[in-house]
Amino acid sequence: MERQAAYLRNALFDQGYLDEQFLQLEDLQDEANPHFVEEVVKLFYTDSVRLIQSIELTLKNTPWDFEKLDNIMHQFKGSSSSIGAKKVKKECSQFQEYCNVGNVEGCIREFQEVKQEHAALKRKLENYFQLAREAR
Amino acid sequence: MIVEEIRGDAENFPVGMRVLAVDDDPTCLKLLETLLRKCHYNVTTTNQARVALKMIREKKDRFDLVISDVHMPDMDGFKLLELVGLEMDLPVIMLSANSDPKLVMKGVTHGACYYLVKPIRIEELRNIWQHVIRRKKADSKNQNRSSDQTKAHLASGEGHGSPLAGNTDHNGKFNRKRKDDDDETEDNDNEYEDNGTQKKPRVVWTIELHRKFVQAVNQLGIEKAVPKRILDMMNVEGLTRENVASHLQKYRLYLKRISTVATQQANMAAALGVKDSGFMHLGSLDGFGDFRTFSGARLGNVALSSYPGGMLGRLNSPGNVNICNLTPSTLVQPSLAQNLSNSINPLGKMNLVLPTSNQSPSLFQGIQPSLELDQLQHNKSTTNFNSINNSRIFRNGSTGVALGSSNNLLNSPMSNPLMLHGNTQQPLSGGRFGNQSGPFTSESFNNGVSDPTNENWPNRVDASKMHPNTLLSAEPFHSQLPLSGLRDNNSSNGTYLQNNPIDLSSGLALPPFEDSREMQCQQVGSMGDVQNMAQSWSEQRQGSGSVNQKMDMYTGGRSSGGASALVQQNEKLASESISRSNEDFLFEQPKLPSGFTPQGYDSLDELVNAMIKREQDETVANGEFAFDNYTFGEERKLCGDVAFLSSEADLVASL
């Protein structure tokens, strides 16, 4: 179990889902905060859902408010980077770029990517945490 | 929201440092909180800026440090930053996922100690306590001392923050920012005070002011004119007796100069009359060297050519005007084309012009430098220029005669060797004028020449004897002079005008009015100078339209903006007495930046006014001719006045 958890964790890093920030989170986890990482991740996903919903709502309204989209995505990016969600962060940046140039199609496409990565990472982390919890 | 009210452990600082963390993103907030806790700080968190502000206000020293996100829904992070900075002297660290340098700059300029980019690393947080220390020191110092101290403190504060270079800067800036709110005024005040005690604001002798002065003096009688009485008669607020006294002194010198020049001018005028065309071709405007080659007869030509270059050079001298643009050749060329042999190179090179006479060169040199210097410095050189121009004109006009006379001129106090040359060339400055005959120029030269300083210029005005052309040519000088602040410019500036900021191109032989002096070499100033010149020209012209024209041109040349205006004005003025040739001259010559088209001023007054206005417009309000209502009739005198004004500063200095 432990090996599996470790393996999964390493895979996440290797595959670029996570970056060194995640390590920081792990560093902060100690006896005082035994489940810190998991807590933060959970927090992230709860919050990010809100953000995603906000984006989707904004996308529904035409004409698009690029500035608002950019702001929301900016926050999304901040959160993802805080937990080390590398891929998600990357897609967020991309989305912001499309926003800046007003590329509607690009934005829509990119947003899908963001959501995908976001969901994918969530799955993987949940697995990982599961394994880690079981390993303890 | 976790609120901890545990007091920070002051002894173990930074352990227990009380930090307030504000971020609307719960993920980030949580992370931040944990990180801070890891650093052994006392952390209080909130996701709302308003709450944070409330907490801070509740108890001023409740927190040691505030960390705030930039993007927050209820309040902009920068706003919070400002408020916190203003109300309490707390160090604030900004936080953002955006690493855009502009934003970072904004944060720092708003007073942030530091700007952290998400994701935050614990290493960065470990050092933030330094900001607190630094700030505390800064604050205490501020409170105890005056702004000066604060300043010092800032320096020291910045010194403290060595570990974090960025922090230091931020902190310093932050402190500074904070202090800015409170101490800035103090600092400024201190500066003002210092300035005030150290030096008084310089009185600018505008045409208007000078006119009043002259009126007062005339009323009292030159013999009886004492500063105190003059001051009373002028009734100008803010003017002190000392101001008047020094101005009076200069004026007296100027008058003296005029009288000596007048005689010479007469000679020159005759000589110049001849030269005209030869004069104009300043082919070798590059002046300096050429000038030297002047040899008597063709002094005008040569001189001019060389002179203009010289002048131009001078004019360019940035003393006042950024004559840099004026290139002798440029200046000269236009004039050459036209008759402007005068292109008396920017006065600067006036020296060159005097090649004809042995003396001249030396004279010039002597004069020139002085002129230059003075003028450069004073912008007012217009006067000088005028004188220079005058000399030039003289030279040109009378080729042979001029030379001789120019020599005389040279010898005369005029430091405008150029002037002499100019005389022969006549059109030197006025070359532009088109055909200012020597007389005009010579006269103007005389006037101008005699006074190396601007004061000479006024003398030039006396060039009534001089043909308008001459004047015109002279004017260019003037204009140039003033513009470039180079005195030299004036004389040669006929062509120079264009280039010279002064745009004396108008070749207004206007005595380097003070204004022109003021016009100083700044580029802008040049315009002003032009104006001044123009004005001076107009005045000098004494009705000669050419002068006006020059002025116009002059002014036009100056600063493109002003120049055009001026030019027009000049044109109006110029049209008066100066023949249209001048105008042509004007037009041809300088390419005033603004491309003014000398139209000849209808009246000197107009010119002057225009110039004045222009000057005002121009940043360089050098060209404030004291006289705005001078008429040609009085021009002589006025010119003298103007010249006086302009030469005042420079000439005297040079002398």
Side-chain angles (χ1 to χ4, degrees), chain A residues 55 59 64 66 69 73 91-114:
Chain A
I55 292 176
L59 287 173
W64 279 12
F66 282 108
L69 287 172
M73 193 51 82
E91 301 300 337
C92 287
S93 296
Q94 193 69 40
F95 182 91
Q96 278 183 300
E97 272 176 38
Y98 282 124
C99 267
N100 288 339
V101 299
N103 186 341
V104 172
E105 277 159 28
C107 281
I108 295 174
R109 210 173 38 239
E110 199 53 42
F111 183 56
Q112 298 304 321
E113 292 287 326
V114 169

Side-chain angles (χ1 to χ4, degrees), chain A residues 12-91:
Chain A
L12 285 172
F13 278 104
D14 295 339
Q15 287 162 18
Y17 284 99
L18 295 175
D19 59 22
E20 53 276 356
Q21 183 65 17
F22 194 81
L23 294 172
Q24 286 237 353
L25 294 179
E26 290 181 331
D27 282 343
L28 290 172
Q29 184 159 297
D30 51 19
E31 300 79 33
N33 274 319
H35 307 288
F36 178 69
V37 183
E38 201 173 334
E39 282 169 16
V40 175
V41 170
K42 238 187 236 163
L43 209 51
F44 168 71
Y45 275 101
T46 316
D47 193 50
S48 55
V49 166
R50 179 179 63 85
L51 292 173
I52 289 173
Q53 278 173 356
S54 177
I55 292 176
E56 279 176 344
L57 204 64
T58 313
L59 287 173
K60 284 207 177 83
N61 299 334
T62 53
W64 279 12
D65 187 349
F66 282 108
E67 197 183 322
K68 189 173 173 192
L69 287 172
D70 186 69
N71 282 343
I72 302 168
M73 193 51 82
H74 172 82
Q75 195 167 357
F76 195 89
K77 184 175 148 195
S79 302
S80 351
S81 66
S82 295
I83 66 159
K86 196 169 172 183
K87 284 197 177 179
V88 179
K89 185 168 118 182
K90 190 166 137 246
E91 301 300 337

Side-chain angles (χ1 to χ4, degrees), chain B residues 401-603:
Chain B
V401 177
L403 287 181
S405 44
S406 57
N407 288 335
N408 294 337
L409 285 179
L410 289 178
N411 294 326
S412 65
M414 295 199 347
S415 50
N416 304 325
L418 289 178
M419 298 258 306
L420 289 179
H421 290 295
N423 290 334
T424 48
Q425 303 199 350
Q426 272 233 319
L428 273 184
S429 53
R432 308 283 196 108
F433 286 119
N435 313 307
Q436 289 285 331
S437 46
F440 180 85
T441 53
S442 50
E443 280 196 353
S444 49
F445 274 135
N446 288 332
N447 292 333
V449 176
S450 50
D451 279 342
T453 56
N454 293 333
E455 299 199 26
N456 287 335
W457 290 110
N459 291 333
R460 299 224 292 164
V461 180
D462 285 336
S464 53
K465 301 185 218 170
M466 296 178 45
H467 298 295
N469 291 341
T470 328
L471 278 181
L472 281 180
S473 50
E475 288 196 347
F477 283 132
H478 288 295
S479 47
Q480 295 188 344
L481 289 178
L483 287 180
S484 52
L486 292 175
R487 296 206 242 185
D488 299 333
N489 291 334
N490 283 337
S491 46
S492 49
N493 298 332
T495 45
Y496 189 75
L497 283 180
Q498 289 183 352
N499 302 331
N500 293 331
I502 311 188
D503 278 331
L504 288 180
S505 54
S506 49
L508 290 175
L510 290 180
F513 286 179
E514 269 200 337
D515 299 337
S516 48
R517 276 197 294 189
E518 295 174 336
M519 296 231 250
Q520 295 169 7
C521 309
Q522 299 156 19
Q523 286 261 318
V524 178
S526 56
M527 282 300 301
D529 290 337
V530 171
Q531 297 182 351
N532 289 330
M533 289 285 299
Q535 293 185 347
S536 53
W537 267 96
S538 43
E539 306 232 316
Q540 292 198 342
R541 284 209 312 181
Q542 305 183 342
S544 54
S546 56
V547 173
N548 292 333
Q549 289 179 352
K550 286 284 184 205
M551 298 235 349
D552 290 334
M553 295 205 19
Y554 199 119
T555 49
R558 283 252 226 154
S559 32
S560 50
S564 50
L566 207 64
V567 176
Q568 287 164 12
Q569 298 190 345
N570 290 333
E571 291 182 317
K572 281 195 272 180
L573 290 172
S575 56
E576 270 190 345
S577 43
I578 300 182
S579 56
R580 281 296 150 175
S581 58
N582 295 333
E583 286 185 358
D584 295 342
F585 171 84
L586 288 173
F587 280 100
E588 294 171 5
Q589 308 166 349
K591 291 177 230 202
L592 295 176
S594 54
F596 54 52
T597 49
Q599 298 162 7
Y601 288 88
D602 296 324
S603 62

Side-chain angles (χ1 to χ4, degrees), chain B residues 97 125 169 180 213 228 231 379 442 464 482 499 509 547 551 619 621:
Chain B
L125 291 177
D169 294 338
D180 284 349
F213 171 82
K228 182 79 173 68
L231 181 68
N379 284 342
S442 50
S464 53
N499 302 331
V547 173
M551 298 235 349
T619 47

Side-chain angles (χ1 to χ4, degrees), chain B residues 635-651:
Chain B
E635 275 176 8
R636 227 36 94 119
K637 188 169 200 310
L638 287 176
C639 292
D641 293 340
V642 172
F644 170 71
L645 287 175
S646 47
S647 60
E648 223 185 24
D650 305 324
L651 290 177

